């Protein structure tokens, strides 16, 4: 193998689940998350000789965040067809996964920027200045966006408690 392929394979094995989970939190869709994580690993591999001695997970995480943000910025392209597709069936929510479903649902109600700030700030436990740097915004924007997003999540949490007790 060349260019430290064994070392890169070990890196992918150790970080794959965590990076895919982060991608899922950013996208809200399992298939998009897997594609985004794969893209992040591909781009990290291309830069492997440069990043392997530093912090390859931080590099992959940044590539992932940038890739997902690029997807948000692309215009949505829809193509008209003669036949309407069948509507997606909503899965029945069971009590065993209520918390997970609530979190995914609550994150999907946030804007793309709010979701990115919450995931980077609280899932990755990054300080505000690093989140600001990765997203290309000011620290004040990170603080206000985080505050707004957490307030939305609190309102959603209060609604969930009301539904459960009713």
């Amino acid at each position: 193998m060349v260019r430290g392929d064994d070392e890169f394979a070990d890196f992918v094995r150790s970080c794959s689940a965590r990076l895919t989970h982060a991608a899922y939190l950013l996208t809200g869709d399992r298939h998009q998350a897997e594609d985004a994580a794969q893209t992040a690993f591909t781009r990290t591999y291309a830069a492997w000789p440069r990043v392997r001695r530093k912090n390859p997970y931080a590099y992959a995480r940044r590539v992932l965040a940038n890739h997902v943000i690029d997807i948000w910025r692309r215009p949505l392209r829809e193509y008209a067809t003669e036949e309407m597709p069948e509507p997606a069936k909503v899965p029945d929510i069971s009590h065993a996964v209520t918390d997970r479903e609530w979190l995914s649902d609550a994150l999907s109600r946030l804007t793309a920027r709010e979701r990115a700030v919450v995931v980077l700030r609280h899932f990755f436990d990054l300080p505000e200045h690093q989140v600001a740097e990765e997203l290309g915004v000011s620290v004040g924007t990170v603080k206000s966006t985080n505050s707004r997003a957490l307030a939305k999540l609190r309102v959603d949490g209060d609604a969930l408690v009301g539904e459960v007790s009713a």
Side-chain angles (χ1 to χ4, degrees):
M1 297 205 169
V2 271
R3 296 186 350 166
D5 285 351
D6 290 332
E7 189 178 1
F8 181 76
D10 292 338
F11 165 71
V12 170
R13 276 190 289 277
S14 67
C15 296
S16 181
R18 189 169 174 208
L19 198 67
T20 303
H21 183 66
Y24 177 72
L25 293 175
L26 287 169
T27 63
D29 180 75
R30 176 65 58 197
H31 299 292
Q32 284 181 344
E34 290 172 355
D35 288 345
Q38 187 65 37
T39 300
F41 282 127
T42 302
R43 292 178 182 175
T44 302
Y45 180 73
W48 188 248
R50 239 181 336 115
V51 299
R52 72 179 190 186
R53 289 183 187 89
K54 296 178 184 174
N55 187 350
Y57 182 70
Y59 183 85
R61 186 186 64 236
R62 176 173 257 180
V63 168
L64 173 70
N66 288 340
H67 175 68
V68 172
I69 289 168
D70 287 345
I71 290 171
W72 296 334
R73 291 178 179 158
R74 288 186 199 138
L76 179 65
R77 294 189 177 114
E78 294 182 3
Y79 300 99
T81 62
E82 292 293 323
E83 296 178 21
M84 292 292 293
E86 290 191 29
K89 296 183 180 183
V90 179
D92 185 31
I93 300 173
S94 68
H95 294 290
V97 295
T98 301
D99 291 341
R100 187 175 191 149
E101 287 291 323
W102 172 83
L103 179 60
S104 297
D105 190 41
L107 285 174
S108 71
R109 285 190 220 132
L110 299 177
T111 66
R113 179 181 283 177
E114 289 171 341
R115 188 177 321 122
V117 167
V118 168
V119 169
L120 291 172
R121 184 78 178 93
H122 300 286
F123 179 73
F124 285 123
D125 199 26
L126 296 179
E128 291 163 341
H129 71 278
Q130 196 169 355
V131 173
E133 183 181 306
E134 288 199 22
L135 296 179
V137 297
S138 70
V139 174
T141 301
V142 170
K143 289 179 180 181
S144 62
T145 303
N146 188 47
S147 176
R148 216 175 13 260
L150 292 179
K152 285 181 183 180
L153 292 175
R154 278 187 210 101
V155 169
D156 289 344
D158 291 343
L160 178 65
V161 171
E163 290 174 13
V164 171
S165 62

